[in-house]
Amino acid sequence: MIVPPGSHTAFIGKPETPEQWLTYLYGKLPRGPHSPSAEFSRYYEGDQQKLAFSQMRYKQAFASVFEQWRDNFCGMIVDATNERLNVDSFRIPGDAGTDKDARVFWQRSSMDAYSNAVHLEALIQGRAYVVVWADKDGEPTITPVSGDRMAVCYKAGSLWELEAAARFETDSWGRQQVTLWTEDYVYEVAYGTTEWDRGTRQGNPLGTVPVIPFENRSRLAGEPYSDLANCVPIQDAINKITMDALTASEMAAYPQRWVTGLEIQEDENGNPVAPFNVGLDKLLQAEDPGAKFGVFQAADLKNYVVLVDMLVQHLASVSRVPSHYFLVNSSSTPSGEAIISAEAGLVAKVRERMLHFGESWERVIRLCFRVKGDKRQDAFEMETRWRDPEYRTEAQHIDALLKLKQLNVPEEILWSEAGFSAAQIDSFREMRKEDAKAAADIQKLMPQPEPQNPAASKAPQGNSGNANRKINEAKN
């Protein structure tokens, strides 16, 4: 946990000094175990269990029985979107080498794995961040940062240009480190230094704040918010109904016997003694002719099932995750066409996230080129290429690509649409060159056709000239 220095004082107006910037940005962090970001993280992990019993006496009796019980759909809702967000490559029209250079930046920072973590944090908490900076060799590095450890300030009137950003970190020994970026300077408070006015300041060689926000469901007005914001209340209701069903299964899900007209026996302390052990005694009998026996009907738990199914359907509608993910009404397996139709909403949701996240990744790659001093740092026509978020059968997919080939779509586009990565496509190019070279070498080893005699190949003369000569001689 980052502890602000005790000597910092409040100020009015725009921050001017690094300490004022840190104080201002620290106040924007989502802090505490009850902050929305921490709450959504617990729901994603399934640690939000509240054991909501309908009555306190039930909680006293059954809390220990159901202490480890979990029933959580929030993790699946987020994962259903995140598992389809896979960055494939980056492209600048007319510049074939951009993807290869961008892939070097990407692989150097292990972003094949960590890009997924950036998307995940943004979907859960509403925002995540990426820092681009140069390592000791001058090569660009991409560092993901969770939304609860970074705060930014946008320029007045801008939706994407940053005026300042601060990162608050704690190492394994509890020491804190703070870094502030502005366009003019970088201010760093070393590990173990608790007073923010004792940091070091140096110029910013990039001339821009090297922090890129990834905001989920960006809006022109208002803060970005989590994919779980509207799902949490429904999840709580599902937990409550399920807990009631579990309590009923413990108390009334099996037939209970009753007896009347039987004298109650007491022990030496005056406590009533049960006359029968209904779990062991198969035959219950009483000598009193007025005794009567009966059975209470077992509770019907289907009502709970119907209510939970209704809430799950609401959850599927709010989250735009198909019902077959929740196994609702799963008496029969849906067909392939039915699954594609049901997933249309989820695919549209994923493509919408690709628009905003893709723009952020393009800014990340442009910053990497800025670190290298490459002119492509201003390549605003750059675009992020994503893998296809739609699940289809292989036969359907390849058949569609073959029809595109008839429209003279370039093969590299078809390879990309088929799901091959940029690295695989580069390998295909080299393989095709090797195949062509091998075919040419084989052709040289085969018997060559003998050269033809030019005279023999000359077209025979016609006899039209002789015929005309004979006609002229006859006239004379």
Side-chain angles (χ1 to χ4, degrees):
M1 177 181 178
I2 298 294
V3 180
S7 61
H8 79 282
T9 57
F11 61 91
I12 299 176
K14 181 180 177 180
E16 299 292 341
T17 66
E19 185 180 3
Q20 289 179 347
W21 270 117
L22 290 175
T23 302
Y24 168 72
L25 293 173
Y26 179 77
K28 299 182 68 174
L29 283 180
R31 303 188 304 273
H34 300 294
S35 65
S37 61
E39 187 75 8
F40 293 139
S41 294
R42 283 195 295 271
Y43 271 86
Y44 173 76
E45 298 291 345
D47 293 335
Q48 86 289 353
Q49 182 53 258
K50 299 179 180 180
L51 296 177
F53 291 91
S54 58
Q55 297 184 32
M56 181 57 66
R57 61 193 181 105
Y58 293 156
K59 185 172 184 177
Q60 295 173 351
F62 300 112
S64 60
V65 177
F66 304 120
E67 184 177 4
Q68 299 299 322
W69 171 78
R70 302 280 183 89
D71 190 13
N72 182 52
F73 294 107
C74 293
M76 183 270 295
I77 290 172
V78 174
D79 290 341
T81 301
N82 189 48
E83 66 189 9
R84 298 173 185 240
L85 291 170
N86 297 294
V87 177
D88 181 67
S89 59
F90 299 91
R91 186 176 72 92
I92 296 178
D95 190 342
T98 297
D99 178 56
K100 183 176 180 180
D101 296 335
R103 201 181 315 133
V104 174
F105 306 148
W106 195 259
Q107 297 293 343
R108 179 185 290 271
S109 299
S110 302
M111 293 309 296
D112 276 348
Y114 289 116
S115 62
N116 181 270
V118 173
H119 302 153
L120 181 63
E121 289 299 319
L123 293 172
I124 295 173
Q125 299 188 24
R127 54 166 57 88
Y129 300 94
V130 166
V131 179
V132 179
W133 201 244
D135 61 10
K136 61 181 180 180
D137 298 324
E139 296 296 331
T141 59
I142 305 172
T143 306
V145 182
S146 175
D148 57 0
R149 302 200 305 271
M150 177 81 77
V152 300
C153 176
Y154 288 91
K155 290 183 178 180
S158 177
L159 295 176
W160 58 85
E161 292 184 289
L162 297 183
E163 188 169 6
R167 180 180 179 180
F168 304 86
E169 290 287 350
T170 304
D171 65 8
S172 301
W173 294 270
R175 300 178 303 171
Q176 65 184 36
Q177 191 232 11
V178 181
T179 306
L180 170 68
W181 293 274
T182 69
E183 291 183 338
D184 300 324
Y185 62 85
V186 180
Y187 185 81
E188 188 171 6
V189 181
Y191 279 110
T193 304
T194 57
E195 296 300 325
W196 289 348
D197 58 353
R198 296 172 57 187
T200 58
R201 175 171 172 169
Q202 59 182 349
N204 185 348
L206 297 181
T208 186
V209 179
V211 176
I212 306 300
F214 284 73
E215 297 182 341
N216 185 48
R217 308 178 76 176
S218 300
R219 300 176 57 196
L220 297 180
E223 295 291 322
Y225 57 99
S226 168
D227 267 13
L228 301 179
N230 293 326
C231 300
V232 165
I234 303 177
Q235 179 67 67
D236 287 342
I238 292 174
N239 290 347
K240 170 62 173 60
I241 299 304
T242 307
M243 185 57 65
D244 288 344
L246 292 174
T247 304
S249 70
E250 183 74 13
M251 298 178 57
Y254 56 91
Q256 298 188 15
R257 299 172 180 176
W258 55 266
V259 58
T260 61
L262 190 67
E263 182 179 357
I264 300 177
Q265 301 293 327
E266 296 180 351
D267 59 14
E268 61 274 9
N269 296 322
N271 298 319
V273 178
F276 309 106
N277 187 339
V278 295
L280 296 176
D281 297 338
K282 296 183 178 179
L283 178 63
L284 306 183
Q285 59 182 352
E287 297 180 355
D288 191 338
K292 295 182 180 179
F293 294 89
V295 178
F296 291 115
Q297 293 298 321
D300 186 3
L301 301 182
K302 291 183 179 179
N303 294 329
Y304 296 104
V305 176
V306 172
L307 184 54
V308 169
D309 281 352
M310 182 198 72
L311 292 173
V312 170
Q313 289 177 352
H314 288 190
L315 194 58
S317 177
V318 168
S319 63
R320 300 177 72 183
V321 176
S323 296
H324 60 265
Y325 273 64
F326 299 89
L327 300 179
V328 178
N329 300 325
S330 58
S331 57
S332 60
T333 304
S335 64
E337 293 294 334
I339 290 178
I340 293 176
S341 177
E343 292 184 350
L346 176 60
V347 172
K349 173 183 175 181
V350 172
R351 292 189 185 278
E352 190 271 341
R353 300 298 188 272
M354 287 178 175
L355 289 176
H356 298 283
F357 291 164
E359 182 63 31
S360 296
W361 284 124
E362 291 158 19
R363 294 170 60 193
V364 168
I365 299 302
R366 287 199 295 267
L367 266 179
C368 291
F369 283 123
R370 180 184 286 264
V371 172
K372 297 289 290 183
D374 193 297
K375 65 179 182 180
R376 286 172 288 186
Q377 61 183 292
D378 297 323
F380 298 104
E381 68 273 24
M382 182 186 298
E383 63 179 15
T384 306
R385 302 182 69 178
W386 298 83
R387 295 180 185 174
D388 190 358
E390 188 173 357
Y391 294 158
R392 290 170 288 185
T393 64
E394 193 68 14
Q396 291 175 324
H397 196 186
I398 299 303
D399 182 63
L401 295 178
L402 291 176
K403 291 179 180 178
L404 289 177
K405 184 176 178 60
Q406 296 176 357
L407 298 176
N408 295 325
V409 176
E411 287 188 344
E412 291 194 17
I413 298 296
L414 299 179
W415 291 341
S416 177
E417 293 295 326
F420 296 107
S421 66
Q424 289 175 312
I425 293 176
D426 284 345
S427 299
F428 291 169
R429 295 195 196 103
E430 297 300 323
M431 290 176 183
R432 295 189 66 175
K433 292 178 182 178
E434 293 295 329
D435 290 343
K437 183 179 179 181
D441 292 340
I442 294 174
Q443 184 67 29
K444 293 178 181 178
L445 298 176
M446 297 179 64
Q448 303 296 318
E450 295 182 1
Q452 296 180 354
N453 186 353
S457 61
K458 185 177 180 180
Q461 294 281 337
N463 60 356
S464 59
N466 295 332
N468 292 332
R469 180 176 54 81
K470 291 180 178 180
I471 294 174
N472 290 330
E473 290 178 351
K475 291 180 179 180
N476 293 330

